[in-house]
Amino acid sequence: MIIRGDEPEQVRLIRKLYKPGNYFMQGNEAVAYGAIFAGCRFYAGYPITPSSEIAETMARELPKLGGYYLQMEDEIGSIAAMVGASWTGFKVMTATAGPGFSLMQENLGYAVMTETPLVLVDVQRSGPSTGQATKGAQGDFFQARWGTHGDHPIIAVSPTSGQDAFWETIRAFNIAEKLRTPVVVLFDGVLAHTREQIRIPDIEEVEIAYRKLPQNEEEAKLPFGDPHGDGVPPMPLFGHGYFTHVTGSTHKENGLRDVYTPEVHDRLVRRIHRKIEQNREVYEKYEEHFTEDAEILVVSWGVTARPALGAVLKARKEGINVGLFVPKTVHPFPSERMRELAKKARAILVAEMNLGQMIIEVERYVNDDVLLRGVNRIGGVPLTVEEILREIRGVA
Amino acid sequence: MAKKIYSTYPMVKYLRKEALPTALCPGCGGGTVLNAFANAVDQLKIDPKDLVVVSGIGCSAWIASPYFLADTLHTTHGRAIAFATGVKVGLPDKKVVVISGDGDLASIGGNHLLHAARRNIDITVILVNNFIYGMTGGQVAPTTPFGAKTTTSPYRNIEHPLQISETVAAAGASYVARWTTAHVYQLIESIKKALQVKGFSLVEVISQCPVQFGRRNRMKEPAEMLRWFLKNSVPVSKAKKMSPEELEGKFIIGEIINRQRPEFTEELNKLIDEVQEHFGLKGE
Ligand SMILES: Cc1ncc(C[n+]2csc(CCOP(=O)(O)OP(=O)(O)O)c2C)c(N)n1
Ligand code: SF4
């Protein structure tokens, strides 16, 4: 069994095609190159602003690497095709935005239930509905968490720049492979279309993970078991004679459907949760600036973390004891660290391009005596350094 | 009891024994379709290791996944062909087969059906048309005959049924045939052809659902439904000479189309070759 994109030949091709160095490129292109470096050799998608350049870059580059670009008839078909391809051993990705993310939700749940590794990039744009199609936003924080039905865990990462998008996309693939689960990349229309200097590394500098494959017949016969106690079953790929049965319905360890026995459902769904909970070190990631002595804490994520850092730097120069906390994996939320920081803070400002979403998550870890306030803006224009600074001064 | 029956059934070697007996109602046409498929695989001597079977949601979706002993993917309602597309691109040398219902493939999944036919991707679809949504309790389907009764058309169906085979043929499939569960030998032959054709193939099987359709339309015995199929079946050649009025309520059976067109996964791999050649990327 082989994971495509893993062959030595691929290293030669990447070296030949993408020389290490600094390039001037869009965030969307950085996501695409990140995927290519991570080993993605199958992309199925449906065009939607502001994500389309990811598809365009993949359509141009993948054939050079012997990889496959498929433009499907819609987003539902796109994520469906990805799941099919993932079971044949491909590392797979799609990118979408707003309405497309809504359409993918049912099969995102399917990927959670069938433990199919895939990466879904949601380039957030203004909504609800078609909203401002060409404008960025951060309104999908909860859609990523709760968009599909049922009790399910989800992992979502969120880059804060074009350069970061390159590395976070690679990290998303590694998490997906290590934990055999879908991973959402919550990107946004602003960074997606911003051109900046992005360094492409040598392939040697990139850590690349591969899903666990069954070591013997025994393991292959239990595609949804837990032989290693880490909650992550080895994945028997299609086409290798294991006669694997995969279903989105409640199934036993051998894959066969059993929707009647409460214990079977309980055992399966709890294991899928446990797999995520007990492997926090695989995905937990956050950034901190000046948090050691911060009385005021700014919490921000994605695109807004950049003006937030600018505001914190300026406020520090003015002598305000302010720090910045940036969750890079936003789901599951870095709850423990958040709780520790919240204990030391007198005021917390949550800056984001929406009417207040991550603040609801933050609130869960903050005591009543802390002043908690959102710094929000919608309409497609990101928050500025000045706007955030004004709010910091307001609580100083 | 069940064990005894299956032990004398020659095709049992193709079935997942731990999943038996099947969940299909007694007299359901689904059993005939499974039998025909297993016989086609047997006659062609296809190693089940070279098969991946994909289905959506519905009674018919269960026919091969989980019961057929191969890699099987039981997906979301309507999306089987899209999942199968990813599987086929990943495993172009395997036979990728979709077996599912008319509601699943032609209603909610209609878009994927048309576009897979247009791309002419080498997938074999066995579409079980029982005129109804069996699994959800007998609601009206896009294949329900005009005037028929269902739980959501309790007075009569005022919508016109979709001619699936003709539509898929027009969309670009390589091979399309339609039979009923009363034409088992012809059905097996068509499934064999469909499995061998390089390109998108569809075998539509008109099948009895005595429980949800028959019962509400004065045919509660499976045999009554089979007689209805036999009485109203018209071979393609004869249908060509009949007027639309004469064909009302008839089942046109036989091969609707059989042709060669460039196939999607082959073209995709050819394209990759060309691109790699063009950029001088071929291995030393
Ligand atoms: C998105 C979605 N909508 C609706 C359903 C409910 N549903 C399950 S099976 C089915 C119809 C199946 O009909 P058909 O494909 O004709 O199969 P049959 O049961 O008649 O063999 C429906 C509507 C579902 N599972 N998912
Ligand atoms: S409800 Fe109809 S289609 Fe479903 S198993 Fe019973 S007879 Fe077959």
Side-chain angles (χ1 to χ4, degrees):
Chain A
M1 282 194 274
I2 188 149
I3 309 298
R4 313 291 180 82
D6 164 1
E7 307 86 336
E9 167 72 1
Q10 289 293 331
V11 174
R12 182 187 71 85
L13 286 176
I14 290 213
R15 283 238 166 89
K16 188 157 180 181
L17 285 164
Y18 316 109
K19 297 270 176 279
N22 289 326
Y23 294 84
F24 189 60
M25 64 167 87
Q26 265 190 4
N28 272 343
E29 291 170 286
V31 167
Y33 288 115
I36 286 167
F37 272 64
C40 173
R41 294 296 174 271
F42 183 96
Y43 181 101
Y46 190 79
I48 185 167
T49 307
S51 77
S52 297
E53 294 84 1
I54 299 178
E56 287 162 10
T57 308
M58 294 305 260
R60 191 182 65 231
E61 299 303 321
L62 279 179
K64 298 181 190 167
L65 296 149
Y68 299 88
Y69 170 85
L70 262 67
Q71 189 155 312
M72 293 297 286
E73 47 277 6
D74 56 27
E75 286 83 353
I76 303 174
S78 304
I79 181 165
M82 282 163 75
V83 172
S86 186
W87 276 92
T88 72
F90 274 116
K91 290 190 180 181
V92 300
M93 182 175 86
T94 195
T96 189
F101 192 35
S102 298
L103 285 179
M104 289 184 183
Q105 291 295 340
E106 186 197 12
N107 282 338
L108 181 59
Y110 182 90
V112 169
M113 191 63 150
T114 56
E115 302 176 71
T116 306
L118 61 84
V119 173
L120 194 173
V121 183
D122 172 29
V123 185
Q124 297 169 90
R125 64 184 232 185
S126 271
S129 189
T130 1
Q132 297 167 289
T134 59
K135 306 283 188 187
Q138 290 182 287
D140 302 350
F141 181 78
F142 281 116
Q143 196 195 2
R145 178 64 194 91
W146 297 113
T148 189
H149 59 282
D151 292 302
H152 62 85
I154 200 83
I155 297 175
V157 307
S158 189
T160 54
S161 69
Q163 180 73 68
D164 197 33
F166 176 84
W167 291 104
E168 285 296 288
T169 304
I170 293 171
R171 197 166 72 88
F173 271 97
N174 289 345
I175 299 168
E177 292 289 317
K178 284 180 188 165
L179 299 185
R180 216 185 117 179
T181 193
V183 174
V184 176
V185 179
L186 279 176
F187 203 36
D188 67 86
V190 180
L191 294 178
H193 283 166
T194 301
R195 286 186 180 276
E196 48 191 336
Q197 180 172 299
I198 287 163
R199 190 183 145 264
I200 296 293
D202 185 82
I203 185 79
E204 284 293 312
E205 293 173 48
V206 181
E207 180 219 326
I208 300 174
Y210 298 100
R211 67 196 72 169
K212 212 193 291 172
L213 299 173
Q215 296 305 303
N216 48 50
E217 284 289 315
E218 229 31 62
E219 285 189 7
K221 291 264 175 300
L222 298 175
F224 303 92
D226 184 11
H228 306 148
D230 57 354
V232 189
M235 186 168 177
L237 303 177
F238 282 177
H240 296 271
Y242 288 122
F243 298 153
T244 304
H245 180 57
V246 180
T247 176
S249 299
T250 294
H251 43 273
K252 294 176 286 193
E253 285 73 5
N254 65 5
L256 284 183
R257 188 172 172 279
D258 177 350
V259 299
Y260 303 105
T261 319
E263 293 74 32
V264 171
H265 185 78
D266 187 277
R267 197 162 69 228
L268 171 65
V269 177
R270 278 186 202 276
R271 196 218 356 110
I272 292 176
H273 277 265
R274 177 162 55 76
K275 167 172 93 168
I276 306 302
E277 281 153 22
Q278 91 184 48
N279 289 294
R280 253 184 197 265
E281 77 286 352
V282 172
Y283 56 81
E284 185 152 271
K285 190 176 171 189
Y286 46 79
E287 261 173 41
E288 293 184 32
H289 303 272
F290 314 107
T291 45
E292 315 79 41
D293 62 344
E295 295 164 26
I296 302 167
L297 185 70
V298 178
V299 181
S300 193
W301 62 290
V303 56
T304 314
R306 281 171 88 175
L309 179 59
V312 167
L313 287 170
K314 282 199 167 173
R316 277 267 156 188
K317 279 201 183 127
E318 293 175 12
I320 303 172
N321 273 354
V322 57
L324 175 66
F325 183 60
V326 182
K328 300 299 286 288
T329 298
V330 297
H331 299 299
F333 200 69
S335 46
E336 217 153 288
R337 187 60 189 147
M338 185 67 238
R339 199 173 277 124
E340 283 166 17
L341 292 173
K343 268 191 210 138
K344 296 191 285 181
R346 172 170 66 70
I348 296 177
L349 299 173
V350 182
E352 44 186 342
M353 259 179 103
N354 55 39
L355 290 181
Q357 297 200 10
M358 186 184 271
I359 193 172
I360 297 172
E361 182 70 33
V362 171
E363 192 176 10
R364 299 167 59 199
Y365 312 106
V366 175
N367 293 333
D368 286 350
D369 54 353
V370 176
L371 175 76
L372 179 65
R373 190 179 286 174
V375 185
N376 308 94
R377 172 190 269 200
I378 54 170
V381 181
L383 278 158
T384 62
V385 171
E386 282 308 317
E387 277 170 311
I388 300 171
L389 181 60
R390 205 181 309 138
E391 294 297 321
I392 296 174
R393 285 191 195 122
V395 295
Chain B
M1 235 268 289
K3 257 203 193 102
K4 238 189 209 153
I5 298 170
Y6 291 120
S7 67
T8 55
Y9 171 56
M11 293 299 127
V12 77
K13 61 182 179 211
Y14 294 110
L15 303 186
R16 221 177 228 122
K17 292 186 193 67
E18 63 276 28
L20 297 174
T22 77
L24 304 175
C25 306
C28 175
T32 308
V33 176
L34 179 56
N35 191 16
F37 177 61
N39 273 280
V41 168
D42 192 59
Q43 290 176 25
L44 290 177
K45 298 193 169 57
I46 295 173
D47 184 342
K49 287 183 177 163
D50 294 330
L51 264 177
V52 181
V53 189
V54 186
S55 70
I57 299 287
C59 302
S60 309
W62 285 355
I63 290 172
S65 91
Y67 302 119
F68 201 88
L69 188 59
D71 286 326
T72 44
L73 185 63
H74 179 233
T75 69
T76 46
H77 188 38
R79 315 302 168 195
I81 291 176
F83 280 85
T85 299
V87 173
K88 183 68 195 181
V89 171
L91 299 170
D93 300 330
K94 304 281 175 188
K95 301 242 181 250
V96 178
V97 181
V98 171
I99 305 183
S100 216
D102 54 295
D104 186 75
L105 292 166
S107 182
I108 185 168
N111 200 26
H112 308 302
L113 180 63
L114 292 184
H115 288 281
R118 172 181 66 82
R119 281 182 197 113
N120 200 32
I121 184 165
D122 186 23
I123 292 172
T124 298
V125 177
I126 301 177
L127 183 149
V128 184
N129 181 357
N130 58 12
F131 312 118
I132 199 120
Y133 287 6
M135 178 166 277
T136 39
Q139 295 84 7
V140 73
T143 46
T144 304
F146 190 81
K149 291 195 175 155
T150 74
T151 54
T152 49
S153 60
Y155 306 112
R156 66 189 167 86
N157 178 26
I158 55 161
E159 295 182 16
H160 302 281
L162 181 68
Q163 298 302 325
I164 296 172
S165 287
E166 286 73 7
T167 307
V168 170
S174 274
Y175 180 83
V176 177
R178 187 195 281 117
W179 295 103
T180 80
T181 44
H183 299 85
V184 180
Y185 291 100
Q186 296 93 325
L187 175 61
I188 294 172
E189 286 311 309
S190 272
I191 295 175
K192 280 162 64 181
K193 274 196 191 171
L195 284 167
Q196 288 168 294
V197 157
K198 187 90 202 155
F200 190 80
S201 52
L202 172 88
V203 180
E204 178 183 352
V205 193
I206 294 183
S207 174
Q208 73 276 19
C209 168
V211 175
Q212 298 294 6
F213 185 84
R215 186 158 53 101
R216 294 192 178 86
N217 292 283
R218 294 189 304 277
M219 291 176 284
K220 67 176 189 296
E221 293 303 323
E224 289 174 79
M225 295 202 73
L226 293 176
R227 275 195 291 275
W228 173 48
F229 295 162
L230 284 174
K231 203 170 132 217
N232 291 288
S233 292
V234 179
V236 183
S237 52
K238 198 169 156 203
K240 286 202 177 103
K241 293 174 220 132
M242 290 167 71
S243 68
E245 293 73 38
E246 287 173 305
L247 283 170
E248 190 68 44
K250 297 280 188 277
F251 312 118
I252 301 172
I253 52 167
E255 274 180 18
I256 313 283
I257 213 148
N258 189 354
R259 64 180 161 199
Q260 283 190 334
R261 289 179 74 213
E263 190 273 328
F264 180 72
T265 53
E266 254 177 29
E267 291 301 309
L268 196 53
N269 282 303
K270 230 193 274 173
L271 179 88
I272 289 171
D273 264 4
E274 283 166 23
V275 170
Q276 291 196 317
E277 193 77 55
H278 174 82
F279 287 99
L281 296 166
K282 289 271 177 198
E284 276 81 58

